[in-house]
Amino acid sequence: MKFDSIVNLPIMLVYVLFPIVSLLGTLIFAIRIDYEPLWLIIIVCIPLLSKRTKISKKHFLFYIFLLLLVLIKYIIPCFIWWEITSFRPLIMDFKWVVYLFGSLLWIDLIGMPSKKIIWKAGLFFCWIYILYGVYIIISTKGFNRFELISEANYDGFLLLIPFCFLSEIDKNKKDIWLFVIATLMTGSRTGCMVMFVLLSYLFCRKKPIVILLLLPFGIIYFYFLLFVRDSLDPESIDRYIFFYQSYLYFSDVDVLSFLFGVSPGISLDMPVLPSFEWYINNFEEMNNIIGIYSFYFHSAYIRFAIVWGVPICFLVFIYFFVRFFKIQYLPLKLLLIVIFLQSISLSTFTLTNVSFILFLVFFIMLKAEKEIHRTSFCHE
């Protein structure tokens, strides 16, 4: 493998190799493959794969800032409350640091993956997902939610990331339906909602009538998802339970925890909903721990607010929300829409196979946005 091709290695792994390996593992050996250890190996090996030795001053300062956050929220509290700290929840929450650090280090020492490779790899994943979905439908004689690389919500998230390059790479939009069909086949309510919003944003800016044509289909599809999955009762929807439970926590928590958050390794004290008890028992059994921890909540907003405090969570959201309207690079706008909406029901920055790619693509788009501003400034 040539060095130039190593730049695209994470993309090729997630969108090409992992789907094929997962497909073979499921169909032939009936096993699910955990790719998380592989990501740790890749991040550790980045310096070995690199021919570069220098890191930009801005990125170096960001690494220092990241280290300070780690000290403040993960290391110092661990020593202070050693006896009541559980390390498994601490590590689960710490994953966003690993993926963020790893993706930025990849860009610094190896380089940025090609946008066209990301798009083409995304198309390949669409074809694999659609064909596997057709096989599932035929073999089970009906529509059943299925998994390929990992949980269906994660697969749907992965499909949406390359889709954001639609306006730049596929200007004729001839491949748009591959992404739409593949996303629908995930059965992910959040993923389908995000796809609907992206399509509305793309087409309704110039043709508002499109939203009126898409809306009935969107309503019918979401009703179908809810009806088929017996989720018409709000209390049977896990995300509803998570937000209601978090409301009970924040309405009863002390002022310091509300303002500055708590260590992710310390169990939370809160009144528990009967419908939330199942999740507690399930997570305790899966992770060999006792208590309620922030990583139980499948929402980046809830987890962020619990760990870092409500005011910081609110300020960060407002910052990116305001920045959204100043962005000129359309793919970056679309990616922020994906992040905003997916974060409602997923812990966006700690997802195996997803978060590393998400950070990587975000930095690629951020560079493109800066180049647009630089060009605009030069023209002025």
Side-chain angles (χ1 to χ4, degrees), residues 35 43 53 60 84 92 97 102 134 138 145 147 158 174 179 197 212 238 248 269 278 281 295 318 338 348 361 371 378:
Y35 297 103
I43 293 171
T53 56
F60 179 76
I84 59 173
M92 294 295 287
V97 178
V134 171
I138 294 173
R145 184 171 174 171
E147 303 172 356
L158 283 172
K174 58 184 176 64
F179 284 96
V197 172
L212 298 177
D238 52 5
L248 295 179
D269 183 22
W278 180 87
N281 295 332
F295 82 94
I318 291 299
V338 172
T348 306
V361 172
E371 288 175 352
C378 292

Side-chain angles (χ1 to χ4, degrees), residues 238-251:
D238 52 5
R239 271 51 177 181
Y240 172 86
I241 297 169
F242 292 145
F243 275 92
Y244 191 13
Q245 183 63 59
S246 67
Y247 167 76
L248 295 179
Y249 168 72
F250 287 117
S251 61

Side-chain angles (χ1 to χ4, degrees), residues 156-356:
F157 202 147
L158 283 172
L159 288 165
L160 292 167
I161 293 173
F163 179 78
C164 294
F165 286 110
L166 175 74
S167 60
E168 180 176 357
I169 297 175
D170 186 23
K171 294 184 179 180
N172 296 324
K173 298 179 176 56
K174 58 184 176 64
D175 295 318
I176 188 172
W177 294 110
L178 281 174
F179 284 96
V180 174
I181 294 170
T183 302
L184 292 176
M185 294 189 80
T186 64
S188 168
R189 287 177 299 222
T190 307
C192 294
M193 175 192 69
V194 175
M195 176 59 78
F196 180 78
V197 172
L198 292 178
L199 290 173
S200 301
Y201 186 82
L202 281 168
F203 294 106
C204 298
R205 292 179 306 154
K206 297 179 180 180
K207 300 177 181 178
I209 190 65
V210 175
I211 188 65
L212 298 177
L213 298 175
L214 290 174
L215 190 59
F217 294 101
I219 294 172
I220 293 170
Y221 182 76
F222 280 108
Y223 180 83
F224 171 76
L225 281 181
L226 292 172
F227 182 76
V228 168
R229 294 171 61 184
D230 298 322
S231 297
L232 291 177
D233 178 11
E235 292 196 10
S236 68
I237 303 176
D238 52 5
R239 271 51 177 181
Y240 172 86
I241 297 169
F242 292 145
F243 275 92
Y244 191 13
Q245 183 63 59
S246 67
Y247 167 76
L248 295 179
Y249 168 72
F250 287 117
S251 61
D252 192 54
V253 76
D254 61 88
V255 176
L256 285 177
S257 297
F258 182 88
L259 293 176
F260 303 107
V262 298
S263 169
I266 297 177
S267 180
L268 305 171
D269 183 22
M270 67 180 81
V272 178
L273 292 169
S275 52
F276 192 64
E277 289 180 359
W278 180 87
Y279 295 97
I280 297 174
N281 295 332
N282 189 41
F283 278 114
E284 286 181 338
E285 184 178 344
M286 288 172 57
N287 297 279
N288 194 27
I289 54 177
I290 297 176
I292 307 171
Y293 299 92
S294 59
F295 82 94
Y296 289 6
F297 295 88
H298 293 178
S299 168
Y301 297 118
I302 297 175
R303 290 176 62 165
F304 195 106
I306 291 175
V307 174
W308 296 93
V310 174
I312 293 178
C313 178
F314 179 75
L315 289 174
V316 170
F317 175 81
I318 291 299
Y319 170 78
F320 281 103
F321 185 76
V322 172
R323 292 290 301 173
F324 173 83
F325 295 99
K326 298 181 180 180
I327 291 172
Q328 298 181 47
Y329 185 56
L330 183 56
L332 180 56
K333 272 196 169 186
L334 298 180
L335 187 68
L336 284 181
I337 291 174
V338 172
I339 293 172
F340 285 147
L341 296 179
Q342 288 282 10
S343 294
I344 296 172
S345 62
L346 290 175
S347 52
T348 306
F349 309 112
T350 60
L351 305 178
T352 304
N353 301 323
V354 177
S355 298
F356 186 93

Side-chain angles (χ1 to χ4, degrees), residues 83-99:
E83 294 182 354
I84 59 173
T85 296
S86 180
F87 289 96
R88 175 66 176 173
L90 196 72
I91 293 170
M92 294 295 287
D93 190 83
F94 186 74
K95 285 199 283 187
W96 72 270
V97 178
V98 176
Y99 292 136

